[in-house]
Amino acid sequence: MALDKNGIAKRIAQELRDGYYVNLGIGIPTLVANYIPEGIEVEFQSENGILGMGPFPFEGEEDADLINAGKQTITARNGAVFFDSATSFAMIRGQHVQLTVLGAMEVAQNGDIANWKIPGKMVKGMGGAMDLVASADNIIVAMMHTNRAGESKLLKECTLPLTGVNCVSKVVTNLAVLEIRDNQFHLVERAPGVSVEEIQAATSGDLVIPDHVPEMNLD
Amino acid sequence: MNKVVKDVEQALEGVESGMTLMLGGFGLCGIPENSIAQLVKMGVSDLTCISNNAGVDDFGLGLLLQGKQIKKMISSYVGENDEFERQMLSGELEVDLIPQGSLAERCRAGGAGVPAFFTPAGFGTEIAEGKEVREYNGKPHILESALTADFAIVKAWKGDTEGNLIYKATARNFNPLMAMAGKITIAEVEELVPAGELDPNFIHTPGIFVQRIFQGEKFEKRIEQRTVRPKE
């Protein structure tokens, strides 16, 4: 069965390593914070200006001055720090953040990503996404494998305006985990009960399929 | 040097139609809401506003958009404002969308006397069109120029009569950078105290960057996305 958003987040959480500073984008990536593996310590950076982001506040304890990049009310963990936007992006551009997880409308097999604009229809802006993808070494995209019209979001080339070029290293979707290298998608894992054929059919870019494709272990 | 002005009217004296304004804040967090209300009241128009977001339809910079007071917005993300998107897609509003980190650095550079800088953000995208590209450390970078404004309007938590400012939590965001980049910088604060009451060790914006300071009459501090968890 294909994963839901929480399933995708749970699989991405397995990519966290002890000591990582992590930037989570809006949407599915935000959910990753709920599944930190036991025994490791990570700190979440939100680009509006906090390191050491904690969970949502208890009801009645919301603070309008304390939000994340998705404008949601949050809390600050012990040891947290606040900073201005230039310092925040110094952390990002300066590669002090070890893992970036963000959503996408399209990903291409050369690692290009598009997630900020549909010409003539939707213009939300890139926010911090262009800075993040241009500088981070370790970028995981969290998204559904296909769009609402059922079309593949994993393409030979992006059709929408780009957010960044040659930058995505890994994609986790509701169907599969894929790595990007040598201008191809490489199938690494499949969601429990999802067949290689289903993944192939939902992937419009070039897909390399090894002899054995293990199921994700989400326990 | 005493920077205190009596009220928001006096603080915004000299703001005229056609000017370029910087307004601090991220979303509705840390926005100079008293000054925005005053800009609505003054009815100034044809403004170029540099601000990360454009507020929501009925609060923050959304109020200036409703009154068609803004000619051009320079922002990084406008997704929360339907009126903004409508005016932009219909061509009524000029919009320059800039990566958030580049926007922050361009304000910082403007205040710091750095006319331009190279950044990797946006290379290979439409943001890079017409911009000089140079390779550093084997990676392409694009040239971005500094931003300044006729007036920078920022919001702080505490300020003293010398114009020294302290921000609270994530309400800091763009405020300290824009404070540096205004020809005239106006600070509206929640609490205005006499010089000497703020610990110099913990001041975020030195008063040299601030020309006018006043205590805001009231702060609604609206929350855009109220997310909570149940009490255990």
Side-chain angles (χ1 to χ4, degrees), chain A:
Chain A
M1 214 181 67
L3 302 176
D4 63 6
K5 290 179 176 179
N6 282 298
I8 296 172
K10 211 168 165 181
R11 176 59 190 82
I12 290 174
Q14 294 173 5
E15 307 287 320
L16 299 172
R17 298 289 177 268
D18 192 39
Y20 268 14
Y21 289 104
V22 182
N23 181 288
L24 300 177
I26 298 166
I28 302 173
T30 306
L31 302 170
V32 173
N34 298 333
Y35 301 103
I36 306 168
E38 261 178 60
I40 72 163
E41 204 181 320
V42 295
E43 292 281 2
F44 293 108
Q45 197 253 21
S46 199
E47 65 268 23
N48 60 311
I50 176 174
L51 196 60
M53 180 170 43
F56 294 149
F58 290 124
E59 213 171 333
E61 293 175 12
E62 315 89 277
D63 179 353
D65 290 325
L66 184 45
I67 63 170
N68 63 17
K71 283 100 183 174
Q72 297 172 311
T73 47
I74 51 160
T75 54
R77 284 158 43 109
N78 285 341
V81 56
F82 305 117
F83 35 83
D84 67 62
S85 302
T87 305
S88 180
F89 283 91
M91 295 174 189
I92 290 164
R93 259 189 260 100
Q95 301 192 318
H96 306 282
V97 173
Q98 280 81 24
L99 174 64
T100 294
V101 185
L102 76 173
M105 298 182 205
E106 294 178 345
V107 174
Q109 63 193 31
N110 66 348
D112 287 0
I113 177 173
N115 72 354
W116 71 283
K117 185 180 183 183
I118 303 174
K121 274 192 199 151
M122 196 254 350
V123 190
K124 293 199 181 302
M126 67 295 282
M130 281 193 185
D131 310 272
L132 279 158
V133 300
S135 301
D137 271 336
N138 191 7
I139 298 174
I140 300 180
V141 166
M143 66 176 190
M144 293 296 164
H145 213 97
T146 54
N147 64 20
R148 288 205 183 103
E151 299 156 343
S152 181
K153 293 169 75 173
L154 295 128
L155 310 172
K156 282 191 200 304
E157 277 176 30
C158 290
T159 63
L160 296 169
L162 295 179
T163 307
V165 294
N166 303 313
C167 53
V168 178
S169 51
K170 195 175 264 187
V171 183
V172 179
T173 74
N174 52 327
L175 303 182
V177 177
L178 309 106
E179 281 172 8
I180 294 177
R181 53 176 194 274
D182 314 324
N183 202 31
Q184 286 167 320
F185 294 109
H186 294 255
L187 184 55
V188 178
E189 292 174 22
R190 56 204 169 82
V194 171
S195 70
V196 168
E197 291 71 27
E198 280 174 77
I199 296 162
Q200 174 76 78
T203 306
S204 115
D206 296 335
L207 182 65
V208 178
I209 304 167
D211 291 340
H212 177 64
V213 183
E215 278 192 4
M216 299 177 197
N217 179 3
L218 294 171
D219 297 330

Side-chain angles (χ1 to χ4, degrees), chain B residues 188-209:
Chain B
E188 69 171 68
V189 299
E190 289 179 52
E191 198 186 337
L192 182 60
V193 300
E197 282 204 13
L198 301 179
D199 183 338
N201 285 300
F202 297 105
I203 284 165
H204 298 134
T205 292
I208 190 170
F209 297 117

